[in-house]
Amino acid sequence: MSCEKDYNDWVVESGHDRLFKSLIFEVSKVQSTSVELKFTKGIGATKYIFEFSKDNLEFKEIVKTVEISAASLVPFATSPNQAKVEYRELFTELDGTTGYSVRMKSIDETTGLESGYNQIYFETPAEQLFTNYFPTTSSIKLQWTVTPRVTNVVLYDEQMQVIKDVVLSPEQKTTGMVTFDNLTIGTKYIAKIFNETNNRGTLNVRTSGIANSTVYNVLTTDDASAIGTALSNLVVGGATNITVAFAEGTTYNIGGDITIPTGVNDIAFVGTADSNGNLPVLSNARFRVQTQINNLIIQYLQTTSSGSFFVELNGKTAKDIFIEGCKVSNINSIVRISSGTILNDINVTNTWISNTGGWGVFNVGSGTTVNSINVSNCTFTEISTRFADVRVATKVNFSNITCVNITMAMSHLWLFDNNKPAQVSLQNLILAGPNGGAKINSTNGNYGNIPMSYAGSYKTNDLIVDTRPFTGITEVPLNIYGLFVDPANGDFHIKEGVGFAGTGVAGDKRWFD
């Protein structure tokens, strides 16, 4: 960012040469579609004019002009010296990834006197208008923040070849959604949303399931045993990569462990959301591995597990576990691995986890091998005991988590082995709620070998910390009912106008829109 100030080009008339002079004209804060400008008072000025152009201090074409009455300005910082009174004004509806020049002059409308221009240059960062997407094995529905300033959405393949360019209808602009059909299962795509030629957002997306896999469409009468039998029959028939598809709007009485038989390489269990966003429901569903597997993928399903472990690898070998876009409740742990298990990564994203038992959301026993546990864009509610019980050296990465405990009480978030220290990264968390009236600690003990920082994360003031603090966390001067729209009924959007510094940054991103 460069800054050029012109202090000499002022209209000079006896007694007035200093009246309009603005000693400060700077960028206070710049975002993808807005800029906050800081300037000091022009003494005698009755209005200020701001002119924007998309060049480097040349002002060949003015693309935006804003006039502000001096009487409407509210000082950001007052001073007995009127020339040092500071204002900050927000200018919106800018384009992302764009260089702007802006110049300002002040005018005394009673005398007609005008100052010369102060001018600066800045660049807006890339914009991200997309808020979410909903895949099936053959389609992708994209969602973005509703705005009239969009014209079309383009879907590309990984080589950036255009798959389809959709000119948005008035209805699509109003709903902020568009669907691309007839896509390939388990395939990556790139979506971009435009306002004419201005790119207002880019999102990497993927259809659900596994590319080039055998698809088994689950019958409404299938339970865990029937699904296991179907998988074994597919393996006998030569299938190694399998997608197990559950239909939208359907409830399945699974009733126990779905065991993945020997011979399966990669497997995906996938659902499809209906028009209201409701996922297929699997009652009392759990996932197990007979001997070993490469990738286990669970996508867009709503499940309960009757107090058991959702995914359990008891001494088995696997590459990666992916859980995406799910709602999982009434479980001990979402992933449990015990002695002898060898695993690369655990990845959980865009998932709502609620009503866990006493083992921790993640439970990693001693004698196991796991490279990392990665959790992002998730909502946790009514979590018992802790986020994780990890007894081996691994990497733990938690980002953009909204955690709210109203009736359940957690005593701490983390249980580690100080002699086998985990590397812990925590970013953009919101920890909130009265926690069943209990105080909470960061950890269950003092871990000198495991540094941990909550800088950039927030807690509400109804969550009371006990003796082991959340180092670096920012306390919001609100309880959950002051911060969230309707936390008692599971609406964790941030209330408008509360002045929360983490808005649009911290917590599960699905609550941003």
Side-chain angles (χ1 to χ4, degrees), residues 133-135 208 270-273 279-280 298-302 324-326:
Y133 80 100
F134 306 93
S208 60
V270 304
T272 299
L279 302 172
I298 304 170
Q299 298 174 301
Y300 307 100
L301 295 171
Q302 180 172 336
E324 178 184 13
C326 293

Side-chain angles (χ1 to χ4, degrees), residues 136 138-141 155 163-164 179-184 189:
T136 72
S138 61
S139 69
I140 289 173
K141 180 189 292 184
L155 191 70
I163 302 297
K164 191 174 184 180
T179 299
F180 291 89
D181 295 311
N182 301 317
L183 304 180
T184 304
Y189 297 92

Side-chain angles (χ1 to χ4, degrees), residues 53-80:
S53 67
K54 293 181 178 181
D55 54 35
N56 194 343
L57 300 175
E58 296 174 347
F59 299 97
K60 291 180 179 179
E61 180 183 0
I62 302 301
V63 298
K64 183 182 183 74
T65 301
V66 179
E67 294 189 9
I68 299 177
S69 168
S72 68
L73 289 171
V74 177
F76 178 82
T78 59
S79 171

